[in-house]
Amino acid sequence: MTHDQPPAPATAGTEHPSIRLKNHLSFTVLSLLTLLLMYSLLRLALLVYNHEQIGGASLGDLAEAFFNGLRFDLRLAVCICLPLLLVLASRRAMQARRLMCGWLTVAASLTLFLGLIELDFYREFNQRLNGLVFQYLKEDPKTVLNMLWYGFPVLRYLLAWALASAALAWVFRWISQRHQSSPPKGQIPPLSTSGEGPGVRFVTPLSERLPIRLAVLALCLLLAILGARGTLRQGPPLRWGDAFTTESVFANQLGLNGTLSLISAAQAQFFGRRHQAWQGSQAYPEALDIVRHMLLTGHDTLLAEERAAVLRTTTPPTEKTLAVKNVVLIIMESLAGRHVGVLGGGDITPNFDRLAGEGLLFTRFFSNGTHTHQGMFASISCFPNLPAFEYLMQTPEGNNDFSGLPALLKPRGFDNLYVYNGDFAWDNQSGFFGKQGVSNFIGRFDFVDPVVFDPTWGVSDQDMFDRAAAELRQRQNGKPFYAILQTISNHTPYALPAQLPVAPVSGYGSLDQHLTAMRYADWALGRFFDQIRDQPFYKETLFVIVGDHGFGSGEQLTEMNLARFNVPLLLLAPGIREKFGAVRDTVGSQVDIVPTIMGRLGGPTRHQCWGRDLLTLPADDPGFGVIKPSGSEQIVALIRDNEILIEAKGQASRLYRYHLWAAPQVTEINDDNARQALREQLDAYLQVATKSLLNNTAGPQ
């Protein structure tokens, strides 16, 4: 071939390196930036959608949240783009742009979907995606799907997801096309004169040769590792606690990445739940002494000290008992203290407020968790909500024996009744409480011609209370009974009658529907008491009304968000006000309910409850409660008097002074001695309770 001759056409043996190293690196970097932009926009959407949570957060706090979020987002984006870096080792693999664009689209679309569902997840739970997702997936699929379909704008989200996914596919394809390196038409690359085989071959540029590409790969992997770590410090990479850098709880949560939070929850859920159990920092004998000092009072006699942690016989003073023989425990769905009238919450609960005028109200009472599951086993089985065992009723440890109401009242000859709007298979309620001693269950399929039959949860609260009233009338045969009544209408998607018997709530923004359901549940509660007030058993019964948990509303108080934990506890019985007064500010949690009930019935009780009788505490004892949110976060708190100590994995303990409704506020306390004392108590309580659970030594025997 001479210079005057036209170039020969390439033959079938021609190699066509259309993607060069620099073009592939440009494609990778722009894809990474696209992911980071999408995650920042999702964070902005989360901020706007949950703007009611902003509270006192400053622009500086929010800016810091976005900066922290960028670090977490970078971790995720680097992991998604890692395959694009690994192909640098192969020129042939670098040509597979269609496959790479497909991978980027799928990964981006999936994380976009999680970001969209997190908008309402955070509004509902005030938490980024966590173990609750897997908990719901384990439940009855039909119920979960109905809850989502009727409770949230599913079609709107799916349409937005589909359109955004299509846009992402176009963006990645556009970036790919803009960073090809095919020679322009009519331009011939230099030809090899090596004479290797037939046809024409391109000369491999120096920048494309294997040693250079491997060197670039090594450098890119080093940068990727730095990005995936999210920090330049020695030791562990970026962690959950690194987002908590401001005084605003909402801003701190905003700085997290929901996909990464969900991945961490999956690791804890499926690859080492027991490894997530609380690891105490004290020697066990020392921790045991602390716990016994916390729980035992002058009315307790410790038993089996070598085999059980807090097994004891409690004998309440005769003057502290009541002339009652029956117990009715009413667990109200989402009865948030912040919106209860007698606690300063307006006019949402007029019937509860009326009943509070007849009984004894505890104002500083807290749920042990933020999900009905924890509220049930804590209130009925008096066992705390522990890290790694938040869904105790569905784990093997749920087959253990507990010192709950069924176990303590069955030996006394009590009949039992459990009435619930929904399906007892949910949360394994029938399995768990059946094992503990409950035998008479009335659930969603046992109601005849209900006013409401919701496809998700079952019947309405008025149907549940009507059936409960009828069942209680039939138990007036002289035999003592205990009944557990559980409501559900105040839970999305809200099983309410078409014609509401109460006026809808307005003026609370996104909470209007929730508070309307709460007002309806309150109406059903008042109607129930009007139905049974003239029955003979009424004057022989101790009624206990408590919320299973609250719900987020307004600015979050501390990392634990006390609005989700503060619930009222109301005791109603003949003579209770005369003996104990109208209001108690003693701190308590749901594990205190069973000991307090047994104290009113009187007589010695052999038990191992992780709470105490709130009405026989020494005068100088302000009470305490240990609380933990549902999900997989390693964060716990101890509330004592008007102080709360918060312990989060990877963070220093923080001590606050809190004030609840109607003007909620917290102030951090810088007192190292007080903080350390409460930290030791919290650590000991969790350590000893966890050991008792794992060793199956928490029962009354």
Side-chain angles (χ1 to χ4, degrees):
M1 182 176 70
T2 67
H3 292 292
D4 297 329
Q5 293 175 318
T11 67
T14 301
E15 292 181 4
H16 189 74
S18 60
I19 307 296
R20 299 287 179 86
L21 180 61
K22 65 178 182 179
N23 301 92
H24 184 74
L25 292 177
S26 299
F27 169 67
T28 302
V29 170
L30 288 175
S31 298
L32 180 75
L33 292 176
T34 299
L35 291 171
L36 292 177
L37 176 61
M38 183 185 75
Y39 297 144
S40 293
L41 290 175
L42 285 173
R43 183 167 288 104
L44 179 62
L46 187 68
L47 170 65
V48 173
Y49 194 74
N50 292 278
H51 65 276
E52 295 170 344
Q53 299 282 346
I54 293 176
S58 66
L59 287 176
D61 292 335
L62 298 179
E64 190 167 341
F66 273 79
F67 173 75
N68 289 336
L70 190 62
R71 298 165 65 198
F72 282 92
D73 295 344
L74 183 61
R75 295 195 69 190
L76 180 59
V78 165
C79 292
I80 291 175
C81 291
L82 186 60
L84 278 64
L85 297 179
L86 296 178
V87 300
L88 291 172
S90 169
R91 294 178 65 200
R92 182 181 296 274
M94 280 201 302
Q95 316 309 310
R97 277 286 180 82
R98 181 173 296 179
L99 186 61
M100 294 179 211
C101 288
W103 159 250
L104 288 170
T105 301
V106 170
S109 178
L110 178 59
T111 53
L112 170 66
F113 178 76
L114 295 177
L116 289 175
I117 66 175
E118 196 173 36
L119 299 177
D120 275 301
F121 186 91
Y122 189 86
R123 176 176 284 183
E124 185 73 18
F125 300 109
N126 293 158
Q127 295 171 302
R128 305 302 292 266
L129 294 177
N130 59 24
L132 267 174
V133 174
F134 304 112
Q135 186 61 31
Y136 276 115
L137 290 176
K138 287 170 56 180
E139 296 289 356
D140 173 44
K142 182 179 179 181
T143 301
V144 173
L145 290 175
N146 279 331
M147 179 181 66
L148 296 176
W149 180 259
Y150 292 104
F152 301 97
V154 176
L155 286 179
R156 189 190 313 164
Y157 282 152
L158 290 178
L159 179 60
W161 177 48
L163 293 175
S165 296
L168 285 167
W170 181 86
V171 168
F172 290 126
R173 185 64 179 164
W174 181 83
I175 294 173
S176 174
Q177 291 173 347
R178 296 287 293 181
H179 292 83
Q180 302 280 2
S181 53
S182 299
K185 283 186 177 181
Q187 185 173 341
I188 308 299
L191 298 177
S192 172
T193 58
S194 62
E196 295 180 4
V200 182
R201 295 180 179 274
F202 290 110
V203 173
T204 303
L206 179 64
S207 62
E208 301 296 319
R209 294 178 181 175
L210 183 60
I212 299 297
R213 286 187 286 109
L214 291 180
V216 173
L217 173 60
L219 177 61
C220 289
L221 288 179
L222 177 61
L223 293 175
I225 291 172
L226 291 176
R229 281 181 53 81
T231 177
L232 296 176
R233 70 180 176 218
Q234 294 182 345
L238 196 67
R239 297 173 297 182
W240 178 82
D242 291 314
F244 287 73
T245 59
T246 77
E247 294 301 316
S248 168
V249 177
F250 178 60
N252 294 339
Q253 289 279 350
L254 199 63
L256 294 167
N257 180 287
T259 300
L260 291 179
S261 298
L262 189 63
I263 291 172
S264 296
Q267 291 172 339
Q269 182 85 11
F270 301 111
F271 302 107
R273 182 172 53 84
R274 285 198 174 213
H275 294 298
Q276 296 293 318
W278 191 262
Q279 302 297 320
S281 59
Q282 307 168 77
Y284 183 76
E286 178 184 348
L288 184 60
D289 287 342
I290 292 174
V291 170
R292 286 173 172 172
H293 180 74
M294 293 171 68
L295 290 177
L296 272 62
T297 70
H299 307 294
D300 294 311
T301 302
L302 193 62
L303 305 172
E305 297 183 38
E306 300 301 321
R307 291 179 285 123
V310 289
L311 182 63
R312 60 207 188 266
T313 296
T314 301
T315 307
T318 303
E319 65 274 13
K320 297 286 187 178
T321 62
L322 294 172
V324 293
K325 69 173 187 176
N326 309 309
V327 176
V328 175
L329 172 60
I330 304 173
I331 302 178
M332 299 287 291
E333 171 68 38
S334 300
L335 187 62
R338 181 167 190 167
H339 297 289
V340 171
V342 288
L343 297 180
D347 61 350
I348 307 298
T349 59
N351 290 281
F352 182 91
D353 301 342
R354 171 172 57 88
L355 293 171
E358 305 172 16
L360 170 60
L361 177 69
F362 287 82
T363 61
R364 292 199 291 194
F365 196 80
F366 300 89
S367 62
N368 286 94
T370 53
H371 191 66
T372 303
H373 192 118
Q374 296 97 44
M376 296 303 297
F377 71 70
S379 298
I380 301 173
S381 298
C382 60
F383 193 81
N385 180 27
L386 301 174
F389 300 98
E390 296 90 346
Y391 302 101
L392 180 62
M393 296 192 294
Q394 295 184 344
T395 66
E397 292 77 16
N399 289 315
N400 294 359
D401 293 324
F402 298 96
S403 299
L405 206 60
L408 300 182
L409 293 183
K410 185 176 181 179
R412 297 192 181 197
F414 275 62
D415 194 4
N416 66 81
L417 174 67
Y418 194 158
V419 187
Y420 173 44
N421 315 52
D423 189 346
F424 282 106
W426 183 265
D427 280 338
N428 190 35
Q429 293 182 57
S430 57
F432 179 82
F433 291 113
K435 170 68 168 57
Q436 300 306 314
V438 179
S439 56
N440 299 311
F441 295 93
I442 296 177
R444 64 183 297 175
F445 301 111
D446 300 311
F447 292 84
V448 180
D449 296 327
V451 174
V452 175
F453 189 86
D454 179 75
T456 303
W457 296 123
V459 304
S460 68
D461 283 355
Q462 69 186 93
D463 292 307
M464 188 280 292
F465 277 124
D466 284 350
R467 180 62 180 269
E471 292 289 332
L472 293 179
R473 291 190 197 102
Q474 296 175 13
R475 281 167 169 74
Q476 300 186 100
N477 56 3
K479 187 177 182 181
F481 64 80
Y482 71 89
I484 302 166
L485 314 182
Q486 182 184 350
T487 74
I488 196 62
S489 290
N490 192 22
H491 189 299
T492 183
Y494 311 116
L496 307 180
Q499 297 295 323
L500 281 174
V502 296
V505 175
S506 61
Y508 290 85
S510 62
L511 291 176
D512 284 351
Q513 188 180 15
H514 203 328
L515 294 177
T516 297
M518 185 171 174
R519 178 178 283 176
Y520 167 74
D522 173 77
W523 171 84
L525 175 69
R527 184 169 177 268
F528 168 71
F529 275 90
D530 291 341
Q531 288 177 302
I532 64 172
R533 196 177 292 274
D534 61 348
Q535 296 297 310
F537 72 82
Y538 184 82
K539 294 182 179 180
E540 300 177 319
T541 302
L542 169 64
F543 294 90
V544 180
I545 307 172
V546 67
D548 62 347
H549 53 76
F551 55 88
S553 56
E555 185 178 6
Q556 300 180 43
L557 288 183
T558 78
E559 296 87 334
M560 297 299 286
N561 190 7
L562 289 179
R564 293 191 60 80
F565 289 91
N566 178 230
V567 293
L569 172 67
L570 177 62
L571 306 184
L572 288 161
I576 194 166
R577 275 199 161 200
E578 289 74 14
K579 283 195 175 185
F580 302 107
V583 177
R584 288 288 177 105
D585 294 326
T586 305
V587 172
S589 71
Q590 289 162 329
V591 293
D592 296 310
I593 290 176
V594 171
T596 302
I597 289 174
M598 300 308 297
R600 307 295 69 73
L601 295 177
T605 301
R606 177 191 175 103
H607 68 99
Q608 202 167 177
C609 285
W610 290 82
R612 304 177 298 170
D613 179 356
L614 297 177
L615 295 178
T616 58
L617 298 181
D620 60 347
D621 191 329
F624 76 89
V626 173
I627 63 177
K628 183 198 179 300
S630 56
S632 52
E633 287 90 343
Q634 293 283 301
I635 180 171
V636 289
L638 171 65
I639 303 173
R640 184 178 289 281
D641 199 9
N642 63 346
E643 296 178 352
I644 175 171
L645 176 96
I646 298 176
E647 179 85 4
K649 188 176 182 180
Q651 289 184 269
S653 303
R654 303 185 73 174
L655 179 63
Y656 299 92
R657 181 171 292 109
Y658 70 90
H659 177 74
L660 292 174
W661 333 121
Q665 59 181 343
V666 293
T667 306
E668 188 165 6
I669 303 172
N670 294 313
D671 185 334
D672 291 339
N673 292 331
R675 181 166 50 243
Q676 181 60 25
L678 291 179
R679 186 178 183 279
E680 289 178 356
Q681 293 178 21
L682 175 60
D683 180 84
Y685 187 92
L686 295 172
Q687 179 184 349
V688 176
T690 301
K691 184 177 177 66
S692 296
L693 178 66
L694 295 177
N695 291 344
N696 192 11
T697 57
Q701 301 301 322

